[in-house]
Structures are given as C-alpha cells and as structure tokens.
C-alpha cells in the first residue's frame, strides 16, 4: 500500500499517540475486556496487532462493525504493541475508551 | 459507537446446551441484576429447527416438518454472538422476566414462543434465522458463524 518509509513515519506517530493515551486516557487491554466494552459500546477505537489469530481478529472486527467503532490494525505483532503501551507483556488487542488525548481518535480512524 | 445488543436482535448462543442455536433477544439487562451481576439478556430461541420440506410431501408431512421447538433462557452476553440480523417477532408480552421463575410458566412461555416462531417460519420471512448453523468438522461455532454471517 504505502512505501516503507511512509509506514515507518506513521508507525512512529501511532506509537507516540499510544503512549499519550497510556498516560492520560482510558484504555483496556486484552480480548475479554475489548469484547466486553464493545458490547457496552464504551469504546472509541480498537487496535489489533498483526499476529492476532485470524479468528479472533474477525470476531473483534465483526463486533466493531456492529458497534460502528473504528478498528486499526497495528503494524507489528503483539510484542511490539505491548512495548508501545509501555507494558512488559504482550498485548494483541487493545481498546481506547476515553479520549485522554483526543488527537488519537480523530487521526487513527481516518488513517485506517 | 452504537449499542447493538437490543431487543429483536438475532443472536447465536455459544455455550451451554443450546450452543449453536439461533435466538432472539427479548429483553436485555445491560447492568445486570442483583442475582446476576453481569450483563445478560433474556433470549427466546429455537431448540429444534424445522426440517427441510420438499414438494413431494403431503400436507400432513409438511405440517409435521415445519414444527419449531423453542426455548427461553437467560444468557450472559459473553456467551452470545451477535449477528447483523434482526427478527421482528413480538415476544415481549409472552416472555417476561417472571416466566422463568417456575417450570410451568417456562413451559407456557416456550409454547407461545413456538407458536409465534412457527407462524413466522411459515410466512417465509427471516429465512436465515430458521436454518441450522452448519458446522464443519474442523471449525468451532464462532468460526462457522463468522463465515455464515458475513456472506
């Protein structure tokens, strides 16, 4: 889709924005909570890592389609997503509930 | 960000005795109640799907084959897979919260539901709802569901 350099740049910015959410906004990590708050429709945006198992990925995407929530496929696997969140464990799906820094929510769905 | 677990939504049960069966949400309790401190809903579903009717069948056979057996149940949201389909069957007066309190109330509620669902089946609408979910050998319920729903 885009050349290597461009993805690197947007990748960096996504990382930056994620750290901002970690600090200021509300988020949940992990499949269970992601689905739970999808049902409550408390989510604003969902981020899925690239090596999330395809069945799980389609499940989340389907729920998000029903709930009309944006889904963003993170460029990188769950190790990277965990690191981007500043955690020492792997994260394969994460959802952003509160706009701590509302920049993220506006830019990412447009990106996708 | 729309809430989609609303009444009249078609849903598939994932766990329990009725796993793989299609159901309709009659009432949803998003915050939960004191007995059930989790989000759950009251569903009415198909216990036994109507069989396939062919042109050769006599009227008696057709009637027999088009029977639907229904169930009424409280289910946790976690054990449901929502679909993009809805089923506009008026089940609110039939199936109330207290109809699951005692056995006979449950039976009468199920019978009424059965009647309404059979009527709907005979009109030929909502055909997706009345077809059995085909489960391939290697697949799980969710996997097959997603294939079916997205088609």
């Amino acid at each position: 889709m885009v050349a290597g350099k461009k993805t690197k740049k947007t990748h960096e910015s996504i990382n930056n924005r994620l750290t901002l959410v970690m600090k200021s906004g509300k988020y949940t990590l992990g499949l269970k909570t992601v689905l739970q708050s999808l049902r409550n429709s408390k989510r604003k945006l969902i981020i899925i890592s690239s090596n999330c198992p395809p069945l799980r990925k389609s499940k989340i995407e389907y729920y998000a389609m029903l709930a009309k929530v944006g889904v963003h496929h993170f460029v990188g696997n769950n190790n990277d997503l965990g690191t981007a969140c500043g955690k020492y464990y792997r994260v394969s799906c994460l959802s952003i509930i509160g706009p701590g820094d509302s920049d993220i929510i506006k830019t990412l769905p447009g990106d996708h | 960000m729309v809430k989609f677990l609303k009444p009249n939504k078609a849903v598939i049960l994932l766990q329990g005795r009725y796993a793989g069966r299609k159901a309709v949400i009659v009432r949803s309790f998003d915050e939960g109640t004191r007995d059930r401190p989790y989000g759950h809903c009251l569903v009415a579903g198909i216990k036994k799907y109507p069989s396939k009717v062919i042109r050769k069948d006599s009227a008696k056979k057709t009637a027999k084959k088009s029977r639907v057996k229904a169930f009424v149940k409280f289910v946790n949201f976690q054990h449901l897979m929502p679909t993009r389909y809805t089923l506009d069957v008026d089940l609110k007066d039939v199936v109330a919260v207290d109809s699951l309190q005692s056995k006979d109330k449950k039976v009468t509620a199920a019978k009424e539901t059965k009647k309404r669902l059979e009527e709907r089946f005979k009109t030929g609408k909502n055909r997706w709802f009345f077809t059995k979910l085909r489960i391939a050998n290697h697949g799980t319920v969710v996997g097959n569901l997603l294939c079916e729903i997205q088609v």
Side-chain angles (χ1 to χ4, degrees), chain B residues 46-57:
Chain B
I46 303 184
K47 195 154 134 179
K48 199 156 153 197
Y49 291 92
S51 346
K52 203 176 180 113
V53 175
I54 49 180
R55 209 145 44 111
K56 227 168 50 162
D57 289 334

Side-chain angles (χ1 to χ4, degrees), chain A residues 39-50:
Chain A
R39 282 181 208 118
N40 296 338
S41 65
K42 288 214 173 82
R43 291 200 179 275
K44 296 252 158 56
L45 176 66
I46 301 175
I47 302 178
I48 310 181
S49 72
S50 63

Side-chain angles (χ1 to χ4, degrees), chain B residues 39-92:
Chain B
H40 61 285
C41 53
L42 187 52
V43 294
I46 303 184
K47 195 154 134 179
K48 199 156 153 197
Y49 291 92
S51 346
K52 203 176 180 113
V53 175
I54 49 180
R55 209 145 44 111
K56 227 168 50 162
D57 289 334
S58 60
K60 202 166 86 165
K61 228 174 182 184
T62 319
K64 203 161 188 204
K65 277 191 181 177
S66 324
R67 284 195 304 202
V68 170
K69 194 150 167 67
F71 68 88
V72 177
K73 189 170 164 53
F74 276 115
V75 191
N76 188 346
F77 282 153
Q78 258 192 16
H79 305 144
L80 293 176
M81 181 76 195
T83 66
R84 60 181 167 88
Y85 299 98
T86 53
L87 189 75
D88 271 323
V89 182
D90 191 19
L91 285 171
K92 276 202 202 89

